[in-house]
Amino acid sequence: LVITFLRGKGGVGATSLAVNTAVALTSSRTYRVTLLDLNLEFGNAAMLMDLRPAATLADLAEMPEIDDKAVELATAHHASGVDLVSGADLPQRAELVTIATVQKTLDRLRASSDYVIVDAPPTFSQIVLAALDASEVACVVTAPHLASLRATADILDVLVKLQFPRDRVLLLLDRTSQRGLENDEIGAFFKRRPDLVVPYAPAFDDAADAGQPLVTTVGTDLAAAAVIRELAAKVANLARSRTAPA
C-alpha cells in the first residue's frame, strides 16, 4: 500500500511527518515499511534517520536491471525496522532517475513491503505523478501561513483535476511555529477542516538535528508523538479500506 506525502512548498515539515509516520507504523513490528525519498536533489530523509545509504535511485537507474537484489543494494535499514531508499547522493545525479526507475522500484518495494511511504518534492513532475498513480492515499501537508495555504490550495486543485479520489486525500496541518493563522481560519480558507493538526513542538527540530525520529526519542514531546501515532493509524486504516474486498 503506497502513501504519498505532498507539499506545495518547502519548510512545512512534510519529510519529518513522512519519516515519523513510517517509524510509527513499524512500532508494533507487525508491518514491513519502506520510505522512498523522491526529493531527488536535496532529500533529507536519510539525515533525519542518521542513515548513509550505500546506493540510491540514481545508482539503480544505471543498472541493467532493477531486480530485488539491486533494490536491496539501494536500501538502508534503520534500527526502528524502517527501510529507506533515497533519490540521489549528489544533486547533479538526480537527472539520472527516470519515470521507469521509479515505477520499477515501486513495484519491487510494494512486493516486499506492507506500506511504502513516499516523500515527494513540491512539484508535480512526471516522477511524482508516477508515485501518485500507485498511491492509495495522498497526505497533503500545509503550514498555518498564507503562502503555504495558497500553495496547498493549488495542490488540492491539481489532485481534483487528476481525478485522485477526494476521500483518499488527507489534509494535514503542521504547526511548525508558534505563530500563524488559527485552525478555524484555516478551515474557512479550505472550506474544510484539516484531517489532523500536528501541534507545534520544538522537539521535532531537536530530533532532526540528532538524526532520531521524534517517535523514537526518549523524553519526547508526548502530545506531538501521540498525534504522529494517530496519523500512522489513520493513513493505514484509510489505505487498507481502499483495498478491502466489497
Side-chain angles (χ1 to χ4, degrees):
L1 303 176
V2 181
I3 299 161
T4 296
F5 279 73
L6 302 168
R7 85 290 298 273
K9 65 185 297 295
V12 298
T15 296
S16 181
L17 292 185
V19 167
N20 279 278
T21 298
V23 173
L25 280 171
T26 66
S27 60
S28 65
R29 301 292 177 177
T30 302
Y31 300 122
R32 297 166 299 172
V33 181
T34 300
L35 177 63
L36 177 61
D37 189 352
L38 285 187
N39 290 277
L40 301 180
E41 290 90 350
F42 303 105
N44 285 324
M47 181 192 72
L48 296 183
M49 304 174 78
D50 194 25
L51 292 175
R52 295 164 183 79
T56 65
L57 283 175
D59 295 297
L60 291 181
E62 295 183 308
M63 294 183 181
E65 182 180 1
I66 299 178
D67 55 16
D68 290 338
K69 184 177 180 180
V71 173
E72 175 59 28
L73 288 174
T75 301
H77 305 285
H78 189 257
S80 66
V82 173
D83 289 337
L84 171 69
V85 177
S86 295
D89 54 335
L90 295 170
Q92 59 266 33
R93 283 171 49 79
E95 65 181 17
L96 296 174
V97 181
T98 64
I99 300 171
T101 304
V102 173
Q103 290 173 328
K104 291 177 182 179
T105 302
L106 264 175
D107 286 343
R108 295 291 177 178
L109 296 179
R110 293 175 78 183
S112 62
S113 307
D114 296 302
Y115 294 98
V116 179
I117 306 295
V118 178
D119 183 28
T123 176
F124 275 112
S125 66
Q126 292 299 314
I127 286 174
V128 172
L129 292 176
L132 273 175
D133 283 343
S135 297
E136 278 73 37
V137 178
C139 294
V140 181
V141 183
T142 192
H145 305 288
L146 188 56
S148 178
L149 299 182
R150 286 177 173 172
T152 301
D154 290 338
I155 289 281
L156 294 173
D157 184 55
V158 171
L159 289 175
V160 170
K161 292 176 180 176
L162 291 173
Q163 298 184 334
F164 197 93
R166 292 178 186 239
D167 62 348
R168 290 163 52 191
V169 177
L170 290 179
L171 178 60
L172 309 178
L173 172 59
D174 189 5
R175 291 201 159 274
T176 53
S177 66
Q178 290 179 301
R179 298 183 178 182
L181 298 174
E182 298 297 328
N183 293 351
D184 289 344
E185 295 175 297
I186 293 168
F189 181 91
F190 289 117
K191 295 182 174 60
R192 61 176 285 188
R193 289 182 174 274
D195 294 288
L196 202 74
V197 178
V198 182
Y200 170 68
F204 274 114
D205 290 335
D206 296 337
D209 289 340
Q212 294 182 321
L214 179 71
V215 291
T216 67
T217 306
V218 176
T220 190
D221 185 301
L222 296 181
V227 171
I228 293 296
R229 294 188 182 95
E230 180 183 352
L231 171 58
K234 188 182 289 287
V235 296
N237 290 335
L238 181 56
R240 287 200 299 270
S241 72
R242 300 305 306 176
T243 58

